[in-house]
Amino acid sequence: MEKVDLLVRHAVIVTQNSDRVVLQDGALAVLGNRIAAIGTTDELDARFQSDNLLDARGRALFPGLVNLHTHLFQSAVKGLGEDMAVEQWVQAVTFPTAAALSAEEAYLFAMVSCLENLRSGATTVMEFMYGLQDPAVHEAVIQAMVDSGLRGRYTRYVADTGAAMGLPPALIQPADEALAHVRALQSAYTGAGDGRLDVGLSIGVIWAMTEPGLCAVRRCADETGMTITMHINESPFDNLSAQQQWGRNTIPLLAECGVLGPDLIAVHCVHMTDEDIRLFVEHGVAVAYNPVSNMYLGSGIPPVVEMEQAGVTIGLATDGSGSNNCQDMLETLKFSALLQKVRQQNPACVRAQRALDWATCDGARALGLAGQVGVLAPGLYADFFLVNPFTPKATPVHDPVATLVYSAGQSNIETVVVNGRVLLAHGAFVQLNEAELLHAAQHAAQNLAHRAGTERLLDRRGRWRPV
Ligand SMILES: [Zn+2]
């Protein structure tokens, strides 16, 4: 008998492997941070023994979800500055908040976001941090990612212009300085958290970039192997400003600067022309689809079905809590399918299985992590979660995939394992004091809103002043 570190038994296992096998009475063995074996409980009982047995009777086991785009600090502004389109909203809410953010606050808000990602089944998260010049703020967000236990990629944006659009001076920096900082972060933090973290490049948005800045990011990506992510065509303003400045649309301009490539994860892509989609296919660009954020800011419905049919890899994302008001990947799963059904006026255009593919294997491929996460198979990282469907919201179950996508909520996610480590057990974090963190974040958020001046966005009568 081989000894393993954890043996999960009697689960319905949704493997997301290439045949989309669902195992009945399945078992999964973990050795170190990897999956050692998957099979039926009888098969694995005959091969393995463990001091750590997890009885998953009546539970479904899924690979951890991949959240392709968020801004972890934005949990600070949930419910602050509603009902605005993106350009107005960044100027009124997120820019002043980021500019006033301290490292201590960044840590607390990032922790809140990380914990909700985990509670909603997201075990891999790509962070897109604004280009603050205080390195301590970046280190604090990275520390939160490490401490929370999740797997992730930390990216820090380059924005070398944009004052005319209200970007505060604290968030603008020459591209070479910003890139030098990202390179330093890459050296310092690649492999942090027992190998769970790596570092990538991000570009704020087209109207906050010069053409030499765009070219410099591409050169840095080629030299360092870091991926690039960028907000692209979230609103019609991107193309409007690119046309004004360069006489071209955003995506053709990015093609000319060499930014497009298989290492680019384009975020939003709501307003796309046929030529834009063709360029994405030609260059192998992947898209992060943020359905809740697109609805919240009234940005529009991205042509995800059309992009996928053309050959673009699609992954799912929550976006920051500022334009979502939470980090719930289960809500994102559900809305990812529903919003496309509305756009296409065709209920069959995105099935539950397709939405789950976006949130698992396809998202992993977008990040360049295929063969590491997003699927349950021997040799891959042991990143998974268990769903107990026995709540009124999720019961009865006929099809575990349909239950996860359309019926499950955070209260159904009982156990979360990342890198072979049990982070959430019986619905509670094993090594973190969640209640203490939430109280500290609440206090910090109100303090920050006061300093950043964003509390003026609130109607005085409705303010939260509990006794
Ligand atoms: Zn974003």
Side-chain angles (χ1 to χ4, degrees), residues 69-71 128 231 234 267-268 290 319-320:
H69 179 75
T70 186
H71 311 277
F128 187 124
H231 295 117
E234 179 174 4
V267 181
H268 296 305
N290 300 249
D319 208 348

